[in-house]
Amino acid sequence: MTDPVETMWEGRFITAKRQGKWEYVSRSRGIGAAVILAIDDAADGRHILLVEQYRVPLKANCLELPAGLIGDDQAGEDPAEAAARELEEETGYRAGTMTNLGRFYSSPGMVSESFTLFRATDLAKVSAGGGTDGEDIIVHRVPMDRIADYIAERRDEAIAIDVKLLLVLADTILIR
């Protein structure tokens, strides 16, 4: 028999729960997340779009893939539409093609949250980006052949690095 789930605390976006001796956090109201691997194949070469913003839990700026919540303002929001909206809000780029790469879990030992990863291609710059009011997002368009060095440089500047950036570093850190 499975222990019942007890809600210890619930806010607008997260809920702290306990099941037996296990404590974890989940998203409130069935909200999901979309993460976007945005690849810009342009005349000046292949680039990846990254965003940087201050993250209160880290008390530091964090370098990340563009991302956002699905259904935080609109219940039943389509994940691909949410990903496209977030990409444009955060980076100022609109995707011609948005490919669903599947569902992933970021820290399954303490958070039940999952995210759907999308690859955005056929990009067109349509605005400055920077997010919605108060997000103050900095957009970085980084050449793919410099991505490992760029992330290392940012880490040396005391910028936090989101774990999802391991996706773009895989070929530089895997044992061959």
Side-chain angles (χ1 to χ4, degrees):
M1 180 174 183
T2 304
D3 292 322
V5 176
E6 171 192 356
T7 297
M8 299 166 34
W9 176 86
E10 185 168 7
R12 181 173 174 213
F13 295 106
I14 61 170
T15 303
K17 297 179 178 182
R18 180 183 349 220
Q19 187 170 6
K21 295 181 180 180
W22 200 268
E23 294 176 351
Y24 63 96
V25 176
S26 68
R27 287 276 181 199
S28 299
R29 303 178 285 123
I31 295 171
V35 176
I36 304 100
L37 175 62
I39 301 169
D40 187 15
D41 283 313
D44 62 342
R46 186 171 235 209
H47 294 76
I48 184 168
L49 300 181
L50 302 178
V51 294
E52 177 183 336
Q53 62 183 313
Y54 184 79
R55 293 299 194 177
V56 172
L58 305 178
K59 302 199 180 1
N61 276 14
C62 188
L63 190 64
E64 310 169 2
L65 294 172
L69 298 177
I70 302 167
D72 57 333
D73 290 327
Q74 177 187 344
E77 183 177 28
D78 178 74
E81 289 177 15
R85 174 182 47 78
E86 289 290 343
L87 177 66
E88 191 169 329
E89 283 177 7
E90 292 192 359
T91 69
Y93 283 81
R94 184 172 294 149
T97 304
M98 190 70 75
T99 305
N100 184 329
L101 300 176
R103 190 172 179 187
F104 297 85
Y105 296 85
S106 55
S107 185
M110 66 178 262
V111 179
S112 66
E113 177 189 40
S114 66
F115 63 89
T116 303
L117 181 64
F118 290 89
R119 180 176 48 239
T121 54
D122 305 319
L123 303 182
K125 181 78 168 161
V126 295
S127 72
T132 57
D133 291 339
E135 286 186 313
D136 299 320
I137 293 172
I138 302 165
V139 180
H140 301 278
R141 184 174 174 268
V142 183
M144 286 296 291
D145 62 359
R146 281 210 70 248
I147 194 70
D149 291 336
Y150 184 81
I151 291 171
E153 290 163 9
R154 300 312 311 253
R155 182 181 287 113
D156 290 345
E157 296 168 2
I159 301 296
I161 307 300
D162 186 331
V163 67
K164 289 179 285 304
L165 289 184
L166 287 172
L167 173 69
V168 300
L169 294 174
D171 67 338
T172 64
I173 62 175
L174 292 174
I175 299 173
R176 298 175 195 251

